Coordinates of all heavy atoms in Angstrom, one line a residue:
M1 N 194.4 122.3 130.6 CA 195.5 122.8 129.8 C 195.3 122.3 128.3 O 194.9 121.2 128.1 CB 196.9 122.2 130.3 CG 197.5 123.1 131.3 SD 199.2 122.7 131.6 CE 199.0 121.1 132.4
P2 N 195.6 123.2 127.4 CA 195.4 122.8 126.0 C 196.5 121.9 125.5 O 197.6 121.9 126.0 CB 195.4 124.1 125.3 CG 196.2 125.0 126.1 CD 196.1 124.5 127.5
I3 N 196.2 121.1 124.5 CA 197.2 120.3 123.8 C 197.7 121.1 122.6 O 196.9 121.5 121.8 CB 196.6 118.9 123.4 CG1 196.3 118.2 124.7 CG2 197.7 118.2 122.6 CD1 195.6 116.8 124.3
Y4 N 199.0 121.3 122.5 CA 199.5 121.9 121.3 C 200.3 120.9 120.5 O 200.9 120.0 121.1 CB 200.4 123.1 121.7 CG 199.6 124.3 122.2 CD1 199.7 124.6 123.6 CD2 198.9 125.1 121.4 CE1 198.9 125.7 124.1 CE2 198.1 126.1 121.9 CZ 198.2 126.4 123.2 OH 197.5 127.5 123.7
E5 N 200.4 121.2 119.2 CA 201.3 120.4 118.4 C 202.6 121.1 118.2 O 202.6 122.3 118.0 CB 200.6 120.3 117.0 CG 200.3 118.9 116.7 CD 199.9 118.7 115.2 OE1 199.1 119.5 114.7 OE2 200.5 117.8 114.6
F6 N 203.7 120.4 118.3 CA 205.0 121.0 118.1 C 205.7 120.2 117.0 O 205.5 119.1 116.8 CB 205.8 120.8 119.4 CG 205.3 121.7 120.5 CD1 204.3 121.3 121.3 CD2 205.9 123.0 120.8 CE1 203.8 122.2 122.4 CE2 205.5 123.8 121.8 CZ 204.4 123.4 122.6
E7 N 206.6 121.0 116.4 CA 207.5 120.3 115.4 C 208.9 120.6 115.9 O 209.3 121.7 116.2 CB 207.3 120.9 114.0 CG 208.1 120.2 113.0 CD 207.9 120.8 111.6 OE1 207.3 121.9 111.5 OE2 208.2 120.1 110.6
C8 N 209.7 119.5 115.8 CA 211.1 119.6 116.2 C 211.9 120.1 115.0 O 211.8 119.5 113.9 CB 211.6 118.2 116.7 SG 213.4 118.2 117.0
E9 N 212.7 121.1 115.2 CA 213.5 121.6 114.1 C 214.8 120.8 114.0 O 215.5 120.9 113.0 CB 213.8 123.1 114.3 CG 212.6 123.9 114.2 CD 212.9 125.4 114.3 OE1 214.0 125.8 114.6 OE2 211.9 126.2 114.1
G10 N 215.1 120.0 115.0 CA 216.3 119.1 114.9 C 216.0 117.9 114.1 O 216.8 117.6 113.2
C11 N 215.0 117.2 114.3 CA 214.8 115.9 113.6 C 213.5 115.9 112.9 O 213.2 114.9 112.2 CB 214.8 114.7 114.6 SG 213.4 114.7 115.7
G12 N 212.7 116.9 113.0 CA 211.4 117.0 112.2 C 210.3 116.3 112.8 O 209.2 116.2 112.2
A13 N 210.4 115.7 114.0 CA 209.3 115.0 114.6 C 208.2 116.0 115.0 O 208.4 117.1 115.3 CB 209.8 114.3 115.9
V14 N 207.0 115.5 114.8 CA 205.8 116.3 115.2 C 205.2 115.6 116.4 O 205.0 114.4 116.3 CB 204.8 116.4 114.0 CG1 203.6 117.2 114.5 CG2 205.5 117.2 112.9
F15 N 204.9 116.3 117.4 CA 204.4 115.7 118.6 C 203.4 116.6 119.3 O 203.4 117.8 119.0 CB 205.5 115.2 119.6 CG 206.4 116.4 120.0 CD1 206.2 117.0 121.2 CD2 207.4 116.8 119.2 CE1 207.0 118.0 121.6 CE2 208.3 117.8 119.6 CZ 208.1 118.5 120.8
E16 N 202.6 116.1 120.1 CA 201.6 116.9 120.9 C 202.1 116.9 122.3 O 202.5 116.0 122.9 CB 200.2 116.2 120.8 CG 199.6 116.3 119.4 CD 198.3 115.6 119.3 OE1 197.9 114.9 120.3 OE2 197.7 115.6 118.2
E17 N 201.9 118.1 122.9 CA 202.2 118.3 124.3 C 201.1 119.0 125.0 O 200.5 119.9 124.5 CB 203.5 119.1 124.4 CG 204.8 118.3 124.4 CD 205.0 117.4 125.7 OE1 204.4 117.8 126.7 OE2 205.6 116.4 125.6
L18 N 200.9 118.6 126.2 CA 199.9 119.3 127.1 C 200.7 120.3 127.8 O 201.6 120.0 128.6 CB 199.4 118.2 128.1 CG 198.0 118.5 128.7 CD1 196.9 118.4 127.7 CD2 197.8 117.4 129.7
V19 N 200.5 121.6 127.4 CA 201.4 122.6 128.0 C 200.5 123.8 128.4 O 199.5 124.1 127.9 CB 202.4 123.2 127.0 CG1 203.4 122.1 126.6 CG2 201.7 123.7 125.7
A20 N 201.1 124.5 129.4 CA 200.5 125.7 129.8 C 200.6 126.8 128.7 O 201.6 126.7 127.9 CB 201.2 126.3 131.1
A21 N 199.7 127.7 128.6 CA 199.7 128.6 127.5 C 201.0 129.4 127.4 O 201.4 129.7 126.3 CB 198.5 129.6 127.6
R22 N 201.6 129.6 128.5 CA 202.8 130.5 128.5 C 204.1 129.6 128.5 O 205.2 130.2 128.6 CB 202.8 131.5 129.6 CG 201.6 132.4 129.5 CD 201.6 133.4 130.6 NE 202.8 134.3 130.5 CZ 203.0 135.3 131.4 NH1 202.2 135.4 132.4 NH2 204.1 136.0 131.3
A23 N 204.0 128.3 128.4 CA 205.2 127.5 128.4 C 206.0 127.9 127.2 O 205.4 128.2 126.1 CB 204.8 126.0 128.3
T24 N 207.3 128.0 127.3 CA 208.1 128.4 126.2 C 208.8 127.3 125.5 O 208.7 127.1 124.3 CB 209.1 129.4 126.7 OG1 209.8 128.9 127.8 CG2 208.5 130.8 127.0
V25 N 209.6 126.5 126.3 CA 210.4 125.5 125.6 C 209.9 124.1 126.0 O 209.6 123.7 127.1 CB 211.9 125.5 126.1 CG1 212.7 124.4 125.6 CG2 212.5 126.9 125.7
V26 N 209.7 123.3 124.9 CA 209.2 121.9 125.1 C 210.3 121.1 124.3 O 210.5 121.3 123.2 CB 207.8 121.7 124.5 CG1 207.5 120.2 124.5 CG2 206.8 122.6 125.2
A27 N 210.9 120.2 125.1 CA 211.9 119.3 124.4 C 211.3 118.2 123.6 O 210.2 117.7 123.9 CB 212.8 118.7 125.5
C28 N 212.0 117.9 122.5 CA 211.5 116.9 121.6 C 211.6 115.5 122.2 O 212.7 115.2 122.8 CB 212.3 117.0 120.3 SG 212.1 115.5 119.2
P29 N 210.5 114.8 122.2 CA 210.6 113.4 122.8 C 211.5 112.5 121.9 O 211.9 111.4 122.4 CB 209.1 113.0 122.8 CG 208.5 113.8 121.7 CD 209.2 115.1 121.6
E30 N 211.7 112.8 120.7 CA 212.5 111.9 119.8 C 214.0 112.1 120.0 O 214.7 111.1 120.2 CB 212.1 112.2 118.4 CG 210.7 111.9 118.0 CD 210.3 110.5 118.1 OE1 211.2 109.6 117.8 OE2 209.2 110.2 118.4
C31 N 214.4 113.3 120.0 CA 215.9 113.6 120.0 C 216.3 114.4 121.2 O 217.5 114.6 121.4 CB 216.4 114.2 118.7 SG 215.8 115.9 118.5
G32 N 215.3 114.9 122.0 CA 215.7 115.7 123.1 C 216.0 117.2 122.8 O 216.3 117.9 123.7
S33 N 216.0 117.5 121.6 CA 216.3 118.9 121.2 C 215.3 119.9 121.7 O 214.1 119.5 121.8 CB 216.4 119.0 119.7 OG 216.4 120.4 119.3
E34 N 215.7 121.1 122.1 CA 214.7 122.1 122.6 C 214.4 123.0 121.5 O 213.7 124.0 121.7 CB 215.3 122.8 123.8 CG 215.3 121.8 125.0 CD 215.8 122.5 126.3 OE1 216.4 123.6 126.2 OE2 215.5 122.0 127.4
R35 N 214.9 122.7 120.3 CA 214.6 123.6 119.1 C 213.2 123.1 118.5 O 213.2 122.6 117.4 CB 215.7 123.5 118.1 CG 216.9 124.3 118.5 CD 218.0 124.1 117.5 NE 217.6 124.4 116.2 CZ 218.0 123.8 115.1 NH1 218.9 122.8 115.2 NH2 217.6 124.2 113.9
T36 N 212.2 123.4 119.3 CA 210.9 123.0 118.8 C 210.0 124.2 118.6 O 210.2 125.2 119.3 CB 210.2 122.0 119.8 OG1 210.1 122.7 121.1 CG2 210.9 120.7 119.9
R37 N 209.1 124.1 117.7 CA 208.2 125.3 117.6 C 206.7 124.8 117.6 O 206.4 123.7 117.1 CB 208.5 126.1 116.3 CG 208.4 125.3 115.1 CD 209.0 126.1 113.9 NE 208.9 125.3 112.7 CZ 207.8 125.3 111.8 NH1 206.8 126.0 112.2 NH2 207.8 124.5 110.8
R38 N 205.9 125.6 118.1 CA 204.5 125.3 118.2 C 203.9 125.5 116.8 O 204.1 126.5 116.2 CB 203.8 126.2 119.2 CG 202.4 125.7 119.6 CD 201.7 126.7 120.4 NE 202.4 126.9 121.7 CZ 202.0 127.8 122.6 NH1 201.1 128.7 122.3 NH2 202.6 127.9 123.8
L39 N 203.1 124.5 116.4 CA 202.5 124.6 115.1 C 201.2 125.3 115.3 O 200.4 125.0 116.2 CB 202.2 123.2 114.5 CG 203.4 122.4 114.2 CD1 203.0 121.0 113.7 CD2 204.3 123.0 113.2
M40 N 201.0 126.3 114.5 CA 199.8 127.2 114.6 C 198.6 126.7 113.7 O 197.6 127.3 113.7 CB 200.1 128.6 114.3 CG 201.2 129.2 115.3 SD 200.8 128.9 117.0 CE 199.7 130.3 117.3
S41 N 198.9 125.6 113.0 CA 197.9 125.1 112.1 C 196.6 124.8 112.8 O 196.6 124.3 113.9 CB 198.4 123.9 111.4 OG 197.3 123.2 110.8
A42 N 195.5 125.2 112.1 CA 194.2 124.9 112.7 C 193.7 123.5 112.4 O 192.7 123.0 112.8 CB 193.1 125.9 112.2
L43 N 194.5 122.8 111.5 CA 194.1 121.5 111.1 C 194.3 120.5 112.2 O 195.3 120.5 112.8 CB 194.9 121.1 109.8 CG 194.6 121.8 108.6 CD1 195.6 121.4 107.5 CD2 193.2 121.6 108.1
S44 N 193.3 119.6 112.4 CA 193.5 118.6 113.4 C 194.3 117.5 112.8 O 194.2 117.1 111.6 CB 192.1 118.0 113.8 OG 191.3 119.0 114.3
P45 N 195.2 116.9 113.5 CA 195.9 115.7 113.0 C 194.9 114.5 112.9 O 193.9 114.6 113.5 CB 196.9 115.4 114.1 CG 196.4 116.1 115.4 CD 195.6 117.2 114.9
P46 N 195.2 113.6 112.0 CA 194.3 112.5 111.7 C 193.7 111.8 113.0 O 192.5 111.5 113.0 CB 195.1 111.5 110.9 CG 196.2 112.4 110.3 CD 196.5 113.5 111.3
G47 N 194.6 111.6 113.9 CA 194.2 110.9 115.1 C 193.1 111.6 115.9 O 192.4 111.0 116.7
R48 N 192.9 112.9 115.7 CA 191.9 113.6 116.5 C 190.7 114.1 115.6 O 189.9 114.8 116.1 CB 192.6 114.8 117.2 CG 193.3 114.4 118.4 CD 193.6 115.6 119.3 NE 194.7 116.4 118.8 CZ 194.8 117.7 119.0 NH1 193.8 118.3 119.6 NH2 195.8 118.4 118.5
M49 N 190.6 113.6 114.4 CA 189.5 113.9 113.6 C 188.3 113.2 114.1 O 188.4 112.1 114.7 CB 189.7 113.6 112.2 CG 190.5 114.6 111.4 SD 190.3 114.6 109.7 CE 191.4 113.3 109.3
P50 N 187.1 113.7 113.8 CA 185.9 113.0 114.2 C 185.9 111.6 113.5 O 186.5 111.4 112.4 CB 184.8 113.8 113.6 CG 185.3 115.2 113.4 CD 186.8 115.0 113.2
R51 N 185.3 110.7 114.2 CA 185.3 109.3 113.8 C 185.0 109.1 112.3 O 185.7 108.4 111.5 CB 184.3 108.5 114.6 CG 184.4 107.0 114.5 CD 183.6 106.3 115.5 NE 184.4 105.9 116.6 CZ 185.0 104.7 116.6 NH1 185.0 103.9 115.6 NH2 185.7 104.3 117.7
G52 N 183.9 109.7 111.8 CA 183.5 109.6 110.4 C 184.6 110.0 109.5 O 184.9 109.4 108.5
A53 N 185.2 111.2 109.7 CA 186.2 111.7 108.8 C 187.4 110.8 108.8 O 188.0 110.6 107.7 CB 186.6 113.1 109.3
G54 N 187.8 110.3 109.9 CA 188.9 109.4 110.0 C 188.7 108.1 109.1 O 189.5 107.7 108.4
V55 N 187.5 107.6 109.2 CA 187.2 106.4 108.4 C 187.2 106.7 107.0 O 187.8 106.0 106.2 CB 185.8 105.9 108.8 CG1 185.3 104.8 107.8 CG2 185.8 105.3 110.2
R56 N 186.7 107.9 106.6 CA 186.7 108.3 105.2 C 188.1 108.4 104.7 O 188.4 107.9 103.6 CB 186.0 109.6 105.0 CG 184.6 109.4 104.3 CD 184.1 110.7 103.6 NE 184.2 111.9 104.4 CZ 183.4 112.2 105.4 NH1 182.4 111.4 105.7 NH2 183.6 113.3 106.1
S57 N 189.0 109.0 105.5 CA 190.3 109.2 105.0 C 191.1 107.9 104.9 O 191.9 107.7 104.0 CB 191.1 110.3 105.8 OG 191.8 109.7 106.8
D58 N 190.8 107.0 105.8 CA 191.4 105.6 105.8 C 191.0 105.0 104.5 O 191.8 104.4 103.8 CB 190.9 104.8 106.9 CG 191.8 105.0 108.2 OD1 192.7 105.8 108.1 OD2 191.5 104.4 109.2
E59 N 189.7 105.1 104.2 CA 189.2 104.5 103.0 C 189.8 105.1 101.7 O 190.2 104.3 100.8 CB 187.7 104.7 102.9 CG 187.0 104.1 101.7 CD 187.0 102.6 101.6 OE1 187.4 102.0 102.6 OE2 186.8 102.1 100.5
S60 N 190.0 106.4 101.7 CA 190.6 107.0 100.5 C 192.1 106.6 100.4 O 192.6 106.5 99.3 CB 190.4 108.5 100.5 OG 191.1 109.1 101.4
R61 N 192.7 106.5 101.6 CA 194.1 106.1 101.5 C 194.2 104.7 100.9 O 195.1 104.4 100.2 CB 194.7 106.1 102.9 CG 195.5 107.4 103.2 CD 196.5 107.2 104.3 NE 195.9 106.8 105.6 CZ 195.4 107.7 106.4 NH1 195.5 109.0 106.2 NH2 194.9 107.3 107.6
R62 N 193.3 103.8 101.4 CA 193.3 102.5 100.9 C 193.2 102.4 99.4 O 193.8 101.7 98.7 CB 192.2 101.7 101.6 CG 192.4 100.1 101.5 CD 191.2 99.4 102.1 NE 190.0 99.7 101.4 CZ 189.7 99.1 100.2 NH1 190.5 98.3 99.7 NH2 188.6 99.4 99.6
R63 N 192.2 103.3 98.9 CA 192.0 103.3 97.5 C 193.2 103.8 96.7 O 193.6 103.3 95.6 CB 190.8 104.2 97.1 CG 189.5 103.4 97.1 CD 188.4 104.1 96.3 NE 188.0 105.3 97.0 CZ 187.0 105.3 97.9 NH1 186.3 104.2 98.1 NH2 186.6 106.4 98.5
E64 N 193.9 104.8 97.3 CA 195.1 105.3 96.7 C 196.2 104.2 96.6 O 196.8 104.1 95.6 CB 195.7 106.5 97.4 CG 195.1 107.8 97.1 CD 195.5 108.9 98.0 OE1 196.6 108.9 98.5 OE2 194.7 109.8 98.3
R65 N 196.4 103.5 97.7 CA 197.3 102.4 97.7 C 197.0 101.4 96.6 O 197.9 101.0 95.9 CB 197.4 101.7 99.1 CG 198.4 102.2 100.0 CD 198.8 101.2 101.0 NE 197.7 100.6 101.7 CZ 197.1 101.1 102.8 NH1 197.5 102.2 103.3 NH2 196.1 100.5 103.3
E66 N 195.7 101.1 96.5 CA 195.3 100.1 95.5 C 195.6 100.6 94.1 O 196.1 99.9 93.3 CB 193.8 99.9 95.7 CG 193.2 98.7 94.9 CD 193.7 97.4 95.4 OE1 194.2 97.3 96.5 OE2 193.6 96.4 94.6
A67 N 195.3 101.9 93.9 CA 195.5 102.4 92.6 C 197.0 102.4 92.3 O 197.4 102.1 91.1 CB 195.0 103.9 92.5
A68 N 197.9 102.7 93.3 CA 199.3 102.7 93.1 C 199.8 101.3 92.7 O 200.7 101.1 91.9 CB 200.0 103.2 94.3
R69 N 199.2 100.3 93.4 CA 199.6 99.0 93.2 C 199.2 98.6 91.7 O 200.0 97.9 91.0 CB 198.8 98.0 94.2 CG 199.5 96.7 94.4 CD 198.9 96.1 95.6 NE 197.5 95.8 95.5 CZ 197.0 94.7 94.9 NH1 197.9 93.7 94.6 NH2 195.8 94.5 94.8
Q70 N 198.0 99.0 91.3 CA 197.6 98.7 89.9 C 198.6 99.3 88.9 O 198.9 98.7 87.9 CB 196.2 99.2 89.7 CG 195.2 98.6 90.6 CD 194.6 97.3 90.2 OE1 194.7 97.0 89.0 NE2 194.0 96.5 91.1
D71 N 199.0 100.5 89.2 CA 199.9 101.2 88.4 C 201.2 100.4 88.2 O 201.7 100.2 87.1 CB 200.3 102.6 88.9 CG 199.3 103.7 88.5 OD1 198.3 103.3 87.8 OD2 199.5 104.8 88.8
R72 N 201.7 100.0 89.4 CA 203.0 99.3 89.4 C 202.9 98.0 88.6 O 203.7 97.6 87.8 CB 203.5 99.0 90.8 CG 204.2 100.1 91.4 CD 205.1 99.6 92.6 NE 204.3 99.0 93.6 CZ 203.7 99.7 94.6 NH1 203.7 101.0 94.6 NH2 203.0 99.1 95.5
M73 N 201.7 97.3 88.8 CA 201.5 96.1 88.0 C 201.5 96.4 86.5 O 202.0 95.6 85.7 CB 200.2 95.4 88.5 CG 200.4 94.6 89.8 SD 198.9 94.2 90.6 CE 198.1 93.2 89.4
G74 N 200.8 97.4 86.2 CA 200.7 97.8 84.8 C 202.1 98.1 84.2 O 202.4 97.6 83.1
E75 N 202.9 98.8 85.0 CA 204.3 99.1 84.6 C 205.1 97.9 84.3 O 205.7 97.7 83.3 CB 205.0 100.0 85.6 CG 204.6 101.4 85.6 CD 205.0 102.1 84.3 OE1 206.1 101.9 83.8 OE2 204.1 102.7 83.7
S76 N 205.0 96.9 85.3 CA 205.9 95.7 85.1 C 205.4 94.9 83.9 O 206.1 94.2 83.2 CB 206.0 94.9 86.4 OG 204.7 94.4 86.7
R77 N 204.1 94.9 83.7 CA 203.5 94.2 82.5 C 204.1 94.8 81.3 O 204.5 94.1 80.4 CB 202.0 94.2 82.5 CG 201.4 92.9 83.0 CD 200.0 92.7 82.5 NE 199.1 93.8 82.9 CZ 198.5 93.9 84.1 NH1 198.7 92.9 85.0 NH2 197.7 94.9 84.4
K78 N 204.1 96.1 81.3 CA 204.6 96.8 80.1 C 206.1 96.5 79.8 O 206.5 96.2 78.7 CB 204.5 98.4 80.2 CG 203.3 98.9 79.4 CD 203.1 100.4 79.5 CE 202.6 100.8 80.9 NZ 202.4 102.2 81.0
R79 N 206.9 96.5 81.0 CA 208.3 96.2 80.8 C 208.5 94.8 80.3 O 209.3 94.5 79.4 CB 209.0 96.3 82.2 CG 209.4 97.8 82.4 CD 210.6 97.9 83.4 NE 210.2 97.3 84.7 CZ 209.6 98.0 85.6 NH1 209.3 99.3 85.4 NH2 209.3 97.5 86.8
R80 N 207.7 93.8 80.8 CA 207.8 92.4 80.4 C 207.5 92.4 78.9 O 208.2 91.7 78.1 CB 206.9 91.5 81.2 CG 207.6 90.9 82.4 CD 206.9 89.6 82.9 NE 205.6 89.9 83.3 CZ 205.3 90.4 84.6 NH1 206.3 90.6 85.4 NH2 204.1 90.6 84.9
A81 N 206.5 93.1 78.5 CA 206.0 93.1 77.1 C 207.1 93.6 76.2 O 207.3 93.2 75.1 CB 204.8 93.9 76.9
A82 N 207.9 94.5 76.7 CA 209.0 95.1 76.0 C 210.3 94.2 76.0 O 211.3 94.5 75.4 CB 209.4 96.5 76.5
G83 N 210.2 93.1 76.8 CA 211.3 92.2 76.8 C 212.4 92.6 77.8 O 213.5 92.0 77.7
E84 N 212.1 93.5 78.7 CA 213.1 93.9 79.7 C 212.9 93.0 80.9 O 211.8 92.6 81.3 CB 212.9 95.3 80.1 CG 213.5 96.3 79.0 CD 213.2 97.7 79.5 OE1 213.2 98.0 80.7 OE2 212.9 98.6 78.6
K85 N 214.0 92.8 81.6 CA 213.9 92.1 82.9 C 213.6 93.2 84.0 O 214.1 94.3 83.9 CB 215.3 91.4 83.2 CG 215.5 90.2 82.4 CD 216.5 89.3 83.0 CE 216.5 87.9 82.3 NZ 216.9 88.0 80.8
P86 N 212.9 92.8 85.0 CA 212.6 93.8 86.1 C 213.8 94.3 86.8 O 214.7 93.5 86.9 CB 211.6 93.0 87.0 CG 211.7 91.6 86.6 CD 212.3 91.5 85.2
Ligands
ZN101 ZN1 213.7 116.0 117.6

């Protein structure tokens, strides 16, 4: 059986379910709502990407976090320089 990705319209949770191709209703594991829809996106979620791709995206996420941190530090330095309290 294929694994499909579903999105809950009730709470927005995205989850994967092993379902028969003709299964119609899959309840949300988060809130129990049956208002879920199958995502037709061809994109693989990060957890199922090939190992190499996953590592690369982790690395780029880490760099983004680092850059954001540097930005914040720069901002607070600027505020301090202007004599404002954080
Ligand atoms: Zn839900």
Side-chain angles (χ1 to χ4, degrees):
M1 274 192 289
I3 295 176
Y4 288 108
E5 244 193 310
F6 289 84
E7 183 178 16
C8 172
E9 293 181 355
C11 70
V14 174
F15 57 98
E16 290 174 356
E17 273 289 336
L18 203 65
V19 294
R22 299 182 62 183
T24 49
V25 176
V26 176
C28 169
E30 299 292 327
C31 70
S33 167
E34 291 184 344
R35 287 173 56 213
T36 55
R37 59 190 178 88
R38 192 188 295 174
L39 297 179
M40 301 307 279
S41 166
L43 291 174
S44 299
R48 279 197 285 148
M49 277 203 279
R51 191 168 259 278
V55 168
R56 254 203 311 281
S57 93
D58 276 358
E59 176 67 15
S60 71
R61 265 202 298 275
R62 199 184 62 77
R63 268 200 291 269
E64 274 170 34
R65 266 206 308 277
E66 188 68 19
R69 204 165 61 90
Q70 301 274 339
D71 273 3
R72 276 201 299 278
M73 280 165 58
E75 279 300 311
S76 65
R77 256 202 302 277
K78 256 182 288 182
R79 275 203 298 274
R80 268 201 296 279
E84 284 177 35
K85 290 199 166 64

